[in-house]
């Protein structure tokens, strides 16, 4: 038996080995157990996961921007501290996910380069601007709320490293949603202008948040396969409907309204329904033509370039220390 | 005009790049510094959540050396008091068993129930055994 490296690098296999691998893979999926990095997996499974996990990681990294932009303008020291903790969490979530993606055989440099070059996708939601302080509330409540709805079932994703990263992320994410809810509640109970600001933010973020669950089921070609592989546990529309049901309750406590007069509970299907969404806009934003796409990528690129000297200095220092140690060892 | 959410004074004069906005000089700025350049190796992180418990694998990260790996691990995996001690190990220093050799490497426990206390029924009812 050969000792193995921890990372998964697909090797050239004979047809017999592939057949045995597929049988083992199918058995694990049928048992609803977990695939681990060194296991044989179908090339399409690897590719799907790599795309999903890296897009998810990019979303966390780009997702730092709308909120980081408000740290200097947050209304109190407490709110600044909360916002910084939240932005730091998003960075952490991105790093957990990049680590998970790396176990599939992709280097972090490649993922980073793809993001900066504009070749990689990330959640369309972060291409909308955060125009007022109330947007920090609406983002926490609606955007992080939708993310949690989406992510809790991913804790049971069939790929072990992804599921483990999601468990960690979900634990931290609930503070994000609660702080957003609290911001909106305080504004709603404030002056009429503050309440209006909160309502305006909810109005702008509602539809984009609903679209975070992805296209409708009949227009989501990859969903079926992802569900068969136990990566996805619920369909886009199912999760969206659940989310609407939760929001419709919570918005009452906030003393605000959802900008959708077609929200209703369908007694026949036992599902929450909502008004039509602008899927053309969704596709446009995904294709890079949203309000903030250029700004977000430019900022990411600048941050990467500005940080180059830090990375180089750290590597040079490490090399110097290592050389020094070797010399002492030799002497 | 294209809507934007950047603060009007995005540039902070006098603030060196890569320095955290908070007062804590130990805290690195969020994203870019953690990212791997080819010279930055992969480290596996193990965290002891409290005294008396083992270190448990928490995840991995990239760092140029052990000292930076420890600092990054602290910031990445113990932001909420999750640990009292951290180990970092270069990922390529870990040898792992081959997942495909499950049958032969991990010997079948079949027929070896006598290795478990529950095998011994005659001891039922006897105290302190």
């Amino acid at each position: 038996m050969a000792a193995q490296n921890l990372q998964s690098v697909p090797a050239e296999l004979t047809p017999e080995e592939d057949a045995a691998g597929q049988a083992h893979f199918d058995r694990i999926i049928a048992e609803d157990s977990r695939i681990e990095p060194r296991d044989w997996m179908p090339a399409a499974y690897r590719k799907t996961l790599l795309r999903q996990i890296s897009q998810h990681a990019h979303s966390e990294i780009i997702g730092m921007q709308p909120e980081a932009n408000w740290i200097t303008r947050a209304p109190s020291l407490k709110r600044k501290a909360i916002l910084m903790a939240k932005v730091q969490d998003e960075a952490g979530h991105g790093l957990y996910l990049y680590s998970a993606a790396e176990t599939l055989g992709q280097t972090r440099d490649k993922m980073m380069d793809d993001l900066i070059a504009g070749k990689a996708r990330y959640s369309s939601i972060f291409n909308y601007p955060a125009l007022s302080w109330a947007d920090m509330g609406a983002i926490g409540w609606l955007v992080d709320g939708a993310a949690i709805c989406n992510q809790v079932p991913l804790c049971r994703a069939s790929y072990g490293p992804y599921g483990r990263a999601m468990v960690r992320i979900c634990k931290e994410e609930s503070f994000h949603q609660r702080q957003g809810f609290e911001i909106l509640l305080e504004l709603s109970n404030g002056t009429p202008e503050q309440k209006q600001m909160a309502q305006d933010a909810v109005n702008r973020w509602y539809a984009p948040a609903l679209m975070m669950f992805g296209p409708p089921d009949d227009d989501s070609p990859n969903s079926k396969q992802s569900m068969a592989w136990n990566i996805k546990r619920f369909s886009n529309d199912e999760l969206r409907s659940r989310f609407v049901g939760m929001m419709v309750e919570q918005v009452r406590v906030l003393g605000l309204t959802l900008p959708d007069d077609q929200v209703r509970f369908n007694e026949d299907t036992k599902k929450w329904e909502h008004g039509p969404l602008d899927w053309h806009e969704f596709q446009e934003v995904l294709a890079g033509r949203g309000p903030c796409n250029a700004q977000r990528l430019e900022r990411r690129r600048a941050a990467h370039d500005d940080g180059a000297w830090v990375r180089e200095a750290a590597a040079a220092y490490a090399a110097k220390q290592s050389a020094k140690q070797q010399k002492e060892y030799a002497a | 005009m294209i809507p934007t959410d950047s603060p009007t004074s995005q540039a902070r004069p006098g603030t060196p790049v890569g320095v955290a906005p908070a007062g804590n000089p130990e805290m690195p700025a969020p994203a870019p510094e953690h990212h791997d350049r080819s010279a930055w190796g992969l480290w596996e992180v193990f965290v002891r959540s409290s005294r008396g418990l083992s270190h448990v694998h928490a995840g991995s990260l990239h760092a140029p050396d052990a000292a930076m790996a420890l600092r990054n691990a602290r910031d990445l995996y113990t932001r909420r008091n999750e640990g009292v001690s951290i180990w970092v190990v270069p990922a390529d220093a870990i040898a792992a068993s081959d997942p495909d050799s499950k049958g032969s490497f991990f010997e079948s426990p079949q027929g070896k129930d006598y290795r478990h206390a529950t095998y011994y029924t005659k001891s039922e009812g006897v105290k302190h055994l």
Side-chain angles (χ1 to χ4, degrees):
Chain A
M1 187 212 71
Q4 298 286 312
N5 203 295
L6 290 182
Q7 298 296 309
S8 162
V9 182
E12 285 295 322
L13 296 172
T14 65
E16 292 76 29
E17 285 170 322
D18 273 336
Q22 179 77 52
H24 182 248
F25 176 86
D26 291 344
R27 197 163 58 244
I28 288 180
I29 296 297
E31 287 169 357
D32 199 0
S33 183
R34 299 291 178 267
I35 302 292
E36 293 294 344
R38 290 293 311 171
D39 288 331
W40 186 98
M41 60 188 93
Y45 177 82
R46 185 186 297 275
K47 199 176 152 199
T48 298
L49 275 171
L50 195 53
R51 192 188 59 223
Q52 182 171 337
I53 301 174
S54 61
Q55 282 181 9
H56 197 157
H58 296 327
S59 302
E60 300 281 357
I61 296 300
I62 296 290
M64 290 193 281
Q65 292 186 33
E67 289 168 312
N69 283 342
W70 276 91
I71 292 173
T72 54
R73 294 172 287 175
S76 65
L77 187 58
K78 182 184 91 169
R79 290 293 172 196
K80 286 182 203 297
I82 291 172
L83 216 46
M84 277 194 280
K86 189 170 185 286
V87 170
Q88 198 188 13
D89 273 356
E90 312 295 3
H93 297 174
L95 295 177
Y96 304 155
L97 289 161
Y98 281 130
S99 291
E102 274 181 284
T103 65
L104 291 159
Q106 182 72 283
T107 67
R108 195 169 304 204
D109 282 356
K110 175 79 170 69
M111 290 186 269
M112 205 40 58
D113 291 346
D114 283 352
L115 176 61
I116 289 171
K119 283 190 231 161
R121 281 185 171 180
Y122 54 86
S123 179
S124 60
I125 194 84
F126 301 115
N127 291 319
Y128 292 89
L131 299 176
S132 78
W133 168 247
D135 285 33
M136 294 302 99
I139 288 177
W141 180 52
L142 288 169
V143 175
D144 290 308
I148 291 171
C149 235
N150 223 346
Q151 290 170 359
V152 167
L154 288 174
C155 294
R156 293 189 291 126
S158 60
Y159 189 57
Y162 192 29
R164 291 193 285 274
M166 292 318 303
V167 168
R168 200 170 274 279
I169 289 171
C170 286
K171 269 190 205 159
E172 300 180 348
E173 202 76 52
S174 54
F175 125 67
H176 297 184
Q177 193 187 16
R178 286 192 189 188
Q179 66 88 36
F181 185 86
E182 193 191 75
I183 289 173
L184 289 177
L185 192 63
E186 281 183 12
L187 289 173
S188 179
N189 291 323
T191 65
E193 289 82 5
Q194 285 173 324
K195 185 168 183 176
Q196 182 48 46
M197 189 163 86
Q199 183 63 59
D200 172 64
V202 170
N203 290 352
R204 280 183 290 107
W205 288 95
Y206 171 77
L210 255 53
M211 289 195 277
M212 283 173 69
F213 294 96
D217 292 348
D218 47 22
D219 192 25
S220 180
N222 300 326
S223 279
K224 223 176 194 164
Q225 182 59 72
S226 283
M227 287 176 79
W229 278 330
N230 293 343
I231 298 173
K232 255 174 108 89
R233 298 286 177 167
F234 302 100
S235 78
N236 295 352
D237 286 336
E238 167 71 31
L239 290 169
R240 190 168 15 245
S241 157
R242 275 193 212 177
F243 178 66
V244 169
M246 288 185 243
M247 294 301 107
V248 87
E249 297 288 323
Q250 294 175 9
V251 79
R252 284 193 205 114
V253 182
L254 287 175
L256 301 172
T257 55
L258 296 179
D260 184 347
D261 55 9
Q262 294 179 53
V263 170
R264 66 176 198 114
F265 186 71
N266 185 328
E267 284 295 344
D268 298 331
T269 59
K270 301 283 174 208
K271 286 194 197 312
W272 283 92
E273 291 174 356
H274 55 82
L277 295 167
D278 186 350
W279 291 107
H280 175 69
E281 175 185 298
F282 178 78
Q283 294 299 343
E284 283 293 294
V285 177
L286 263 194
R289 292 185 285 274
C292 294
N293 294 58
Q295 178 195 339
R296 299 290 185 241
L297 268 190
E298 187 42 48
R299 182 77 196 96
R300 180 85 279 277
R301 219 172 275 139
H304 192 74
D305 293 345
D306 290 349
W309 73 269
V310 179
R311 294 189 296 273
E312 284 160 19
Y317 179 78
K320 201 170 147 190
Q321 291 299 311
S322 167
K324 206 165 140 192
Q325 262 180 2
Q326 299 241 318
K327 211 170 153 189
E328 277 167 15
Y329 189 71
Chain B
M1 196 194 118
I2 296 168
T4 169
D5 53 23
S6 296
T8 42
S9 57
Q10 183 82 52
R12 285 155 293 155
T15 309
V17 175
V19 168
N24 182 354
E26 300 290 302
M27 191 190 291
E33 286 74 15
H34 290 291
H35 292 307
D36 175 41
R37 293 290 94 189
S38 49
W40 290 32
L42 185 66
W43 300 75
E44 298 296 331
V45 179
F46 300 81
V47 176
R48 184 201 295 283
S49 57
S50 72
R51 290 182 171 275
L53 298 176
S54 313
H55 287 76
V56 174
H57 185 238
S60 54
L61 51 76
H62 287 270
D65 59 23
M68 284 296 289
L70 275 173
R71 284 176 178 236
N72 288 355
R74 175 200 59 193
D75 294 335
L76 191 53
Y77 292 106
T78 64
R79 285 197 298 284
R80 289 176 175 79
N81 268 325
E82 289 98 333
V84 295
S85 164
I86 299 174
W87 289 347
V88 290
V89 183
D92 57 13
I94 297 178
S97 60
D98 182 349
D100 299 331
S101 66
K102 197 180 176 187
S104 52
F105 188 66
F106 298 98
E107 204 187 343
S108 167
Q110 244 175 4
K112 292 183 182 168
D113 295 352
Y114 52 82
R115 292 189 178 200
H116 297 274
T118 48
Y119 174 78
Y120 300 92
T121 48
K122 282 181 187 140
S123 58
E124 267 178 26
V126 180
K127 285 181 180 175
H128 310 301
L129 187 68

